[in-house]
Amino acid sequence: MTSLASMLVPPVRPDRDTTRAAIVAAARELTVTDGWTQVRLAGVAELVGVSRQTVYNEFGGRAGLASALADAEIELFTAGLRAALFAHGSHVRAAVTAAVRFALDEAAANPLVRVILTGSRGGADPLLPYLTTRSDVVLAAAAVPLLEWAGAHLPAVEPAALAFAVDTVIRLAVSHIVLPQWPAGHTADALAGLVALLLHATRRHAPR
């Protein structure tokens, strides 16, 4: 029997941020599994356990959900880069190798990441425009954890030189995603070696 007290207490509902995150995660799961063309608001709502109207109210339809999905993918990717870098402390070659390997592996395993990183416009999937328009955004976002790591562990290196090294390794990593030449591990180690050489040359020629 329902008590009067329980009737007066409003039901506990997840906060809006939690609901939005769950909806985006469900959309991502369905997109990776079935492709964006098969994703429907009703299906996302069912997976999350909310109404279709809730999904619509939060995102205003599939276009808004696609945009949120792309932004969430960028956040996940940059968080992974940060974790890979900081797991190796000040060891330049190991840290950069781990970061590049993470990017290569993610692009190989996750079609959403690959499209965002490369800006590929092939195919007819209507999700593509939301991903490709963020290719420049994700490249800039990827530089943030690299610069954070370098600032924490390589304080003696000139900022301009760091920025150049970071931009170089990001652009080269993307080029190897688009047109891979070697296994991911070999590519990651080779690019990390290049970054180490760049930083070493910068230190050697820095004014005293």
Side-chain angles (χ1 to χ4, degrees):
M1 181 176 179
T2 304
S3 68
L4 179 60
S6 65
M7 292 174 63
L8 295 176
V9 177
V12 177
R13 302 174 66 180
D15 62 42
R16 183 176 179 183
D17 288 344
T18 301
T19 300
R20 286 179 64 88
I23 291 171
V24 171
R28 180 184 189 276
E29 179 181 338
L30 293 173
T31 300
V32 171
T33 302
D34 304 323
W36 177 251
T37 55
Q38 301 302 313
V39 175
R40 298 291 181 270
L41 298 189
V44 174
E46 182 179 0
L47 190 58
V48 178
V50 298
S51 68
R52 180 189 180 282
Q53 188 62 44
T54 296
V55 178
Y56 184 84
N57 289 346
E58 289 295 332
F59 298 98
R62 293 180 82 242
L65 183 56
S67 182
L69 175 59
D71 290 339
E73 205 63 36
I74 292 173
E75 289 184 17
L76 285 172
F77 180 74
T78 54
L81 277 181
R82 182 177 285 104
L85 284 163
F86 280 89
H88 294 278
S90 60
H91 194 304
V92 174
R93 187 153 188 159
V96 177
T97 297
V100 174
R101 180 63 187 267
F102 170 80
L104 296 176
D105 287 346
E106 279 294 294
N110 187 334
L112 302 182
V113 168
R114 182 180 179 85
V115 172
I116 294 173
L117 283 173
T118 63
S120 171
R121 298 181 185 275
D125 193 320
L127 181 62
L128 287 174
Y130 297 99
L131 300 178
T132 55
T133 55
R134 284 162 171 77
S135 58
D136 290 341
V137 174
V138 76
L139 294 180
V144 173
L146 282 162
L147 291 172
E148 288 177 356
W149 168 81
H153 297 292
L154 302 172
V157 179
E158 182 185 15
L162 278 177
F164 177 73
V166 165
D167 182 71
T168 297
V169 73
I170 290 173
R171 291 178 184 277
L172 288 175
V174 171
S175 73
H176 281 275
I177 290 170
V178 176
L179 189 63
Q181 291 183 302
W182 307 302
H186 180 78
T187 298
D189 186 64
L191 295 187
L194 177 60
V195 171
L197 286 173
L198 284 172
L199 296 178
H200 177 72
T202 300
R203 287 169 175 162
R204 185 178 58 191
H205 293 103
R208 300 182 183 278

